[in-house]
């Protein structure tokens, strides 16, 4: 992945189903929302790239995949999808929807904490609130999974993973365009927190992150 430095993807005018490309025929609010995602300036630990979006969730979609990187190691990864239906959607209560997946590996003792799911969900809502953002009709799941290895893999230690799946409706601003850059920044805050990094500019110790688990995520 290339580090996110507000780079714009080339090839505007291609089909919106292609990676990083949006058709000129797409509605102006959607194109403006995608432009804001492309131009966002993010933390240096984040590497982010456009990826192929889902095809059947909404008339228009744009997707990003990101990882929190420390040297050659991915501490956490995730995917953020922007959906747009100009006609509106009853379940969304709006014309835009953000859908996300965040994953990180944990030490087994952390994964055993009964409060971990509630804490992880609060990180998502807290990251949005910290940037003054509204998450309408928010829903999601927090899943813990454990892996034990046998046979030819028996030398591997047990592994545990946390996975956050969520979606929410961003509040639309001028011209019906949500502040997608701010939502992306909040999502990256969540990604870094799950990876075990302190919040940007944090120094009061009031926000606790998961301890870092060194080593790449399991495929």
């Amino acid at each position: 992945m290339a580090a996110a430095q507000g780079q714009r993807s080339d090839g505007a005018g291609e089909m919106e189903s292609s990676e990083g490309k949006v058709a000129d025929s797409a509605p102006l609010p959607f194109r403006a929302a995608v432009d804001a995602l492309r131009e966002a300036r993010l933390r240096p630990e984040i590497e982010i790239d456009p990826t192929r979006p889902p095809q059947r969730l909404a008339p228009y979609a744009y997707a990003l995949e990101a990882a929190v990187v420390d040297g050659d190691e991915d501490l956490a990864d995730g995917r953020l999808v922007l959906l747009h239906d100009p006609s509106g959607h009853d379940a969304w209560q709006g014309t835009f929807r953000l859908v996300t997946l965040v994953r990180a590996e944990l030490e087994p003792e952390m994964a055993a904490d009964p409060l971990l799911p509630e804490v992880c969900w609060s990180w998502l809502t807290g990251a949005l609130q910290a940037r003054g953002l509204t998450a309408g009709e928010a829903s999601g799941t927090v899943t813990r999974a454990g892996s034990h290895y046998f046979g030819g893999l028996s030398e591997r230690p047990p592994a545990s993973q946390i996975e956050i799946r969520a979606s929410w409706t961003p509040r639309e601003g001028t011209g019906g365009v949500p502040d997608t850059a701010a939502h992306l920044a909040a999502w990256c805050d969540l990604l870094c927190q799950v990876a075990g990094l302190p919040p940007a500019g944090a120094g009061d110790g009031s926000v606790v992150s998961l301890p870092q688990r060194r080593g790449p995520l399991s495929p």
Side-chain angles (χ1 to χ4, degrees):
M1 291 185 179
Q5 295 295 334
Q7 298 177 358
R8 293 176 59 90
S9 300
D10 294 330
E14 301 288 336
M15 292 298 292
E16 61 267 24
S17 60
S18 300
E19 292 185 15
K21 299 175 182 178
V22 177
D24 286 340
S25 59
L28 182 59
F30 178 70
R31 285 185 281 148
V34 171
D35 283 345
L37 290 175
R38 291 170 172 168
E39 295 167 357
R41 301 276 175 167
L42 307 175
R43 290 179 58 163
E45 301 93 342
I46 296 285
E47 293 189 355
I48 193 165
D49 277 311
T51 189
R52 188 175 181 85
Q55 300 298 298
R56 299 180 180 179
L57 296 181
Y60 302 93
Y62 184 81
L64 296 166
E65 58 183 7
V68 180
V69 178
D70 181 13
D72 294 330
E73 297 172 346
D74 288 2
L75 302 179
D77 64 18
R79 193 173 192 231
L80 184 69
V81 179
L82 175 68
L83 304 176
H84 179 55
D85 186 340
S87 300
H89 195 293
D90 290 342
W92 302 354
Q93 294 296 299
T95 63
F96 283 91
R97 188 76 171 172
L98 285 162
V99 181
T100 184
L101 164 68
V102 171
R103 303 181 304 172
E105 290 211 8
L106 310 174
E107 298 295 345
E109 58 270 21
M110 285 298 301
D113 187 339
L115 297 179
L116 183 64
E118 288 80 4
V119 170
C120 288
W121 184 255
S122 73
W123 286 346
L124 170 61
T125 57
L128 294 167
Q129 292 169 1
R131 293 183 179 271
L133 299 170
T134 299
E137 305 300 318
S139 62
T141 62
V142 177
T143 304
R144 290 177 288 192
S147 299
H148 296 264
Y149 300 95
F150 301 93
L153 301 176
S154 60
E155 293 184 0
R156 292 190 184 184
S160 299
Q161 186 180 79
I162 192 76
E163 180 181 277
I164 304 170
R165 293 179 181 268
S167 64
W168 66 92
T169 299
R171 182 174 59 191
E172 297 171 13
T174 303
V177 182
D179 188 352
T180 50
H183 281 270
L184 175 59
W187 179 72
C188 288
D189 291 341
L190 168 68
L191 198 63
C192 287
Q193 198 163 9
V194 170
L197 302 185
D204 60 4
S206 60
V207 180
V208 178
S209 300
L210 294 180
Q212 293 183 21
R213 179 186 177 94
R214 299 293 177 179
L217 295 178
S218 300

